[in-house]
C-alpha cells in the first residue's frame, strides 16, 4: 500500500521527470504527494543577486560593504541576502511543482522547503512523514558528466528504508 510519496526537486530536468512520475503514481494509488526542496547555501552568482534586487527580493547592498570573513548571517548582510535569494528560488521551484502536480489531478499535495544538507534533510522528512516511496532524479544540476547517480540521489538511495526510484 502506497499512501505517501515524496518527490524532491532541485529544478533540474531529471527532477522534473521525477515529479511527473511521482504525480502519476500518486494518482494511481490515491496517495498524498510531498514535494520538497532543500535550499542552496553560499554565494549566488552576481547576475542572480542583481536580478533579486531588481525584483525586490533583496535590498541593494551598500556600495562599500566589506566581504564577510565568517559565514555568520547578520541582518542586512551579504549572506542574509544570499539566504533570501535561495529561499525565493526554493519557494518558486516548489510552488511551480505543486501547481504542476495539481494540474495533473493530484488531490493531496504538501510542500516543504528546508535548508541544510539535502540528502540528510530528505531522509529526515521521509522518516518523519512515514513516506512509502521516494521519487527523485538520478542526476541533478551538477555538471560532472558520466555519473549514473549524483551525490544526493546516491546517499538517499543508500540510506532510506523505503522504496526509492531514481528517474533517468
Ligand atoms: P552532485 O550534486 O553530486 O554534483 P547532481 O546534481 O547531478 O550531482 P544530485 O544532486 O544527486 O545530482 O541530484 C539528484 C536528484 O536529487 C535531483 O534530481 C533531485 O531529485 C534531488 N536533489 C538534489 N539536490 C536537491 C535539493 N537541494 N533539494 C531537493 N532535491 C534535490
Ligand atoms: Mg546536485
Amino acid at each position: 500500500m502506497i499512501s505517501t510519496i515524496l518527490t524532491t526537486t532541485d529544478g533540474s530536468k531529471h527532477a522534473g521527470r521525477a515529479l511527473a512520475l511521482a504525480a502519476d503514481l500518486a494518482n494511481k494509488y490515491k496517495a498524498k504527494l510531498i514535494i520538497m526542496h532543500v535550499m542552496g547555501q553560499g554565494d549566488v552568482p552576481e547576475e542572480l543577486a542583481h536580478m533579486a534586487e531588481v525584483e525586490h527580493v533583496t535590498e541593494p547592498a551598500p556600495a562599500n560593504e566589506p566581504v564577510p570573513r565568517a559565514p555568520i548571517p547578520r541582518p542586512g548582510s551579504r549572506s542574509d541576502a544570499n539566504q533570501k535569494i535561495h529561499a525565493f528560488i526554493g519557494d518558486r521551484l516548489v510552488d511551480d511543482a505543486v501547481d504542476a502536480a495539481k494540474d495533473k489531478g493530484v488531490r493531496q499535495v504538501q510542500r516543504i522547503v528546508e535548508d541544510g544538507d539535502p540528502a540528510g534533510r530528505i531522509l529526515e522528512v521521509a522518516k518523519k512523514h512515514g513516506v512509502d516511496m521516494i521519487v527523485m532524479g538520478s542526476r541533478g544540476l551538477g555538471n560532472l558528466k558520466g555519473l549514473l547517480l549524483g551525490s544526493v540521489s546516491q546517499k538517499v538511495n543508500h540510506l532510506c528504508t523505503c522504496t526509492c526510484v531514481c528517474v533517468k
Side-chain angles (χ1 to χ4, degrees), residues 10 140-142 152:
D10 59 353
L141 294 174
V152 178

Side-chain angles (χ1 to χ4, degrees), residues 49 51-59 81 84-89:
M51 190 205 76
E53 281 175 20
V54 172
E55 298 287 328
H56 303 293
V57 176
T58 55
E59 300 288 327
K84 278 190 187 154
I85 296 167
H86 286 304
F88 178 79
I89 293 168

Side-chain angles (χ1 to χ4, degrees), residues 6 121-131 134 160 162:
L6 169 65
R121 283 299 151 99
I122 292 167
L123 289 162
E124 275 170 26
V125 163
K127 195 170 171 194
K128 182 171 159 204
H129 292 259
V131 163
I134 300 173
C160 71
C162 63

Side-chain angles (χ1 to χ4, degrees), residues 1-167:
M1 173 76 178
I2 306 282
S3 52
T4 307
I5 296 172
L6 169 65
T7 190
T8 70
T9 182
D10 59 353
S12 64
K13 281 185 190 159
H14 285 87
R17 292 197 282 272
L19 171 69
L21 177 64
D24 276 356
L25 293 172
N27 280 333
K28 176 174 165 55
Y29 290 106
K30 297 188 175 32
K32 175 167 114 177
L33 180 61
I34 303 176
I35 299 175
M36 173 174 183
H37 171 73
V38 184
M39 293 189 293
Q41 286 164 344
D43 286 348
V44 298
E46 261 330 296
E47 297 81 10
L48 198 54
H50 180 63
M51 190 205 76
E53 281 175 20
V54 172
E55 298 287 328
H56 303 293
V57 176
T58 55
E59 300 288 327
N64 57 353
E65 189 193 351
V67 175
R69 290 195 185 165
I72 302 164
R74 292 174 283 116
S77 72
R78 189 175 294 196
S79 58
D80 190 50
N82 284 333
Q83 237 172 342
K84 278 190 187 154
I85 296 167
H86 286 304
F88 178 79
I89 293 168
D91 276 337
R92 284 290 291 271
L93 274 181
V94 171
D95 286 346
D96 287 353
V98 167
D99 287 347
K102 286 188 172 163
D103 284 349
K104 274 181 160 267
V106 182
R107 293 255 175 95
Q108 233 191 316
V109 185
Q110 181 178 351
R111 70 192 300 291
I112 296 180
V113 178
E114 293 208 350
D115 62 1
D117 165 56
R121 283 299 151 99
I122 292 167
L123 289 162
E124 275 170 26
V125 163
K127 195 170 171 194
K128 182 171 159 204
H129 292 259
V131 163
D132 303 296
M133 182 189 280
I134 300 173
V135 185
M136 61 197 303
S138 54
R139 293 295 313 271
L141 294 174
N143 50 15
L144 272 183
K145 305 273 179 238
L147 293 180
L148 285 181
L149 292 176
S151 57
V152 178
S153 49
Q154 190 172 25
K155 187 169 175 189
V156 171
N157 205 4
H158 211 71
L159 296 177
C160 71
T161 52
C162 63
T163 299
C164 181
V165 180
C166 293
V167 178

